[in-house]
Amino acid sequence: MANQVRRKQLEQLGVEFNEEEFLFHLVLLREGYLDDRELEQMEIWLNRLIESNHRAMIYDEECFYSFCENLALKCLKNNKLGEWSIEKGLLNHIFKILAQGKSILEFGSGKGTEALLKKYSVISIEHNPKFAFKRGEGHQCIYAPIEGEWYKVDDVRRTLESESYDLILIDGPSGGFRNGILKSISLFEHVKCPIIFDDVNRKEDMEIMKLFCEKLNLAFSIFKGREKDFSICFSAT
């Protein structure tokens, strides 16, 4: 029903659009992640909306311009990632080391997930029901609530055993529960792919990563980001 209303709004403005453009419009309205190429598309699309409203005079021009401007600013902010999400530097590093079409298992789900979905299939393990939803094609989100000091272990075990992954990204859980991974380290004994730990600029997360690698006999490399650092853990043999 909501999408029918949005179609009607575009039609009232006199905007001619195809299905691909309508889906892009929906991504804008929900402030989804846009890559650099899509930011250029966003500018063109929003200008089309502004020009159409100028001709049709459906909405107050100043208010409509402000609405489009705010959408653009939010999408630009999301493009930078960071804060709760992985940083752009980490995203670009993954793009460099992992071929398009590969599979990623990530702990924690957010805007960074949407960025990864541009090139990969992603399975997310998420403890917060607010963020535990499918973010696009090729995405599956497993809701695994916190039990004790980490995710519900049975949910993690089933996800790790369900298939093999090309990369694992540790970016959750938040709230001081990340050290719980050390008590369930046996789950990762047979993992062969690289494992990335985000946020290792934080002392506690750095120590967790080092202990994780030590217990599994993994080597690691640390990469400096704009505000956050990340590490890649890999087989030492």
Side-chain angles (χ1 to χ4, degrees), residues 75-213:
C75 288
L76 284 168
K77 180 181 178 182
N78 288 339
N79 171 267
K80 294 178 181 178
L81 297 174
E83 297 181 352
W84 291 103
S85 301
I86 61 174
E87 280 193 341
K88 200 75 173 285
L90 171 51
L91 177 68
N92 289 333
H93 194 85
I94 292 174
F95 288 168
K96 184 162 55 174
I97 66 173
L98 195 64
Q100 186 167 344
K102 296 294 186 178
S103 64
I104 295 176
L105 171 64
E106 67 165 355
F107 290 79
S109 183
K111 292 296 180 185
T113 309
E114 297 178 23
L116 292 170
L117 285 169
K118 300 292 182 181
K119 292 194 174 185
Y120 310 111
S121 61
V122 181
I123 293 182
S124 307
I125 294 177
E126 173 58 51
H127 76 284
N128 188 335
K130 180 180 177 181
F131 301 112
F133 60 89
K134 183 175 181 178
R135 294 179 179 270
E137 186 177 351
H139 185 224
Q140 180 183 356
C141 193
I142 311 295
Y143 172 57
I146 298 296
E147 284 193 355
E149 299 179 31
W150 199 50
Y151 299 104
K152 186 177 179 181
V153 173
D154 287 344
D155 292 335
V156 177
R157 180 184 292 108
R158 278 194 297 270
T159 305
L160 282 168
E161 293 176 351
S162 65
E163 61 178 280
S164 60
Y165 302 95
D166 299 299
L167 180 74
I168 293 177
L169 172 60
I170 309 292
D171 194 28
S174 57
F177 292 105
R178 204 167 294 188
N179 63 349
I181 194 173
L182 298 175
K183 293 186 178 180
S184 299
I185 204 161
S186 61
L187 298 177
F188 298 85
E189 288 177 346
H190 302 294
V191 170
K192 302 298 183 184
C193 68
I195 300 174
I196 293 179
F197 279 77
D198 196 18
D199 303 307
V200 296
N201 52 292
R202 298 192 298 227
K203 182 178 179 180
E204 181 181 4
D205 289 277
M206 173 71 82
E207 290 303 315
I208 292 168
M209 182 276 295
K210 287 181 175 179
L211 286 170
F212 181 90
C213 290

Side-chain angles (χ1 to χ4, degrees), residues 33-44:
Y33 174 83
L34 303 180
D35 62 26
D36 293 346
R37 178 187 59 81
E38 290 170 324
L39 287 180
E40 296 178 8
Q41 184 181 348
M42 173 197 71
E43 183 178 2
I44 294 170

